[in-house]
Amino acid sequence: MILAHYAHRLPAAYDVGLIRARAAERGVLWADVPELYFKGFLLRERGRYGAIANNYSSLYLWRQDEAFRDFLLTGRYRVVTDSFGRADIATRFVLDARRGEATEARFVFKHELDIPLDADLEAAFAAEVETTRQAALRAGTVVAAVGIDAQTWRFTRIVVSANAPGGAEEGTAYEILHLARPLLDSLPQA
């Protein structure tokens, strides 16, 4: 599995209503994409939930690297570049992903954690997988996943949640404008 996330910073005066409309219009096009667990159309709106700037982003959980490759090769990413330019796409190899009990996806929480240079990697992996599984068990969790960037040795934990910021979730909060979930129900339950 691969997590992929990219973001576009928007001008302070940008009408985020256009982004909300775009997500509503384009979200349905992702309802049956093969090999995609989910795609989140995400917004960080200046002055809300800790955001200091407007930011529009997309978050994907792909079942296989070939599916992510096909997303790039078949021109699906062109819609993004034509509208917003080419963004850096952060990719992570997924160590674990679990469904929670909740179904209403309102927010994504993204938490990044550097792995200390002298850490026992196997112990660090096991601890982070367990932390992510515990996150999947919390009330309000739709899905929790953790990925690794083996170049920077950093974990990225993603929690898709019904809960608003200010609770138990750690990390940067993103409002979910639309969550396409073609294969989400096929993930193992926490």
Side-chain angles (χ1 to χ4, degrees), residues 6-187:
Y6 55 84
H8 307 280
R9 189 169 180 154
L10 303 171
Y14 193 88
D15 179 3
V16 295
L18 297 171
I19 296 300
R20 292 179 187 284
R22 179 185 177 93
E25 176 187 308
R26 301 215 36 87
V28 296
L29 302 176
W30 291 86
D32 59 359
V33 172
E35 304 301 314
L36 179 66
Y37 287 110
F38 69 80
K39 176 187 179 175
F41 292 79
L42 310 178
L43 176 66
R44 287 188 44 81
E45 187 174 354
R46 188 173 115 183
R48 297 187 70 196
Y49 309 115
I52 61 170
N54 292 327
N55 176 295
Y56 172 54
S57 67
S58 293
L59 174 68
Y60 306 80
L61 179 60
W62 296 99
R63 182 163 35 192
Q64 302 177 37
D65 63 342
E66 291 88 355
F68 175 62
R69 178 206 62 207
D70 291 348
F71 161 70
L72 297 173
L73 288 176
T74 61
R76 285 196 90 122
Y77 187 60
R78 173 172 279 245
V79 172
V80 176
T81 60
D82 286 351
S83 298
F84 299 100
R86 188 184 319 168
D88 292 337
I89 303 175
T91 56
R92 304 289 184 263
F93 294 101
V94 175
L95 302 175
D96 196 47
R98 302 287 166 159
R99 276 185 303 126
E101 291 287 337
T103 57
E104 182 186 12
R106 296 178 50 224
F107 292 91
V108 165
F109 298 92
K110 181 180 178 183
H111 181 68
E112 296 190 291
L113 178 68
D114 290 327
I115 303 170
L117 182 61
D118 295 326
D120 176 315
L121 288 177
E122 290 81 13
F125 295 157
E128 188 55 33
V129 165
E130 180 57 26
T131 298
T132 301
R133 288 182 179 184
Q134 290 303 312
L137 290 170
R138 280 198 296 269
T141 298
V142 176
V143 64
V146 62
I148 180 82
D149 178 341
Q151 181 176 8
T152 62
W153 293 105
R154 172 178 277 190
F155 292 121
T156 300
R157 186 181 329 122
I158 300 294
V159 177
V160 177
S161 180
N163 300 328
E169 303 303 345
E170 294 181 276
T172 304
Y174 296 82
E175 180 184 357
I176 298 173
L177 303 178
H178 181 82
L179 186 72
R181 40 178 103 196
L183 300 177
L184 182 68
D185 290 341
S186 69
L187 281 171

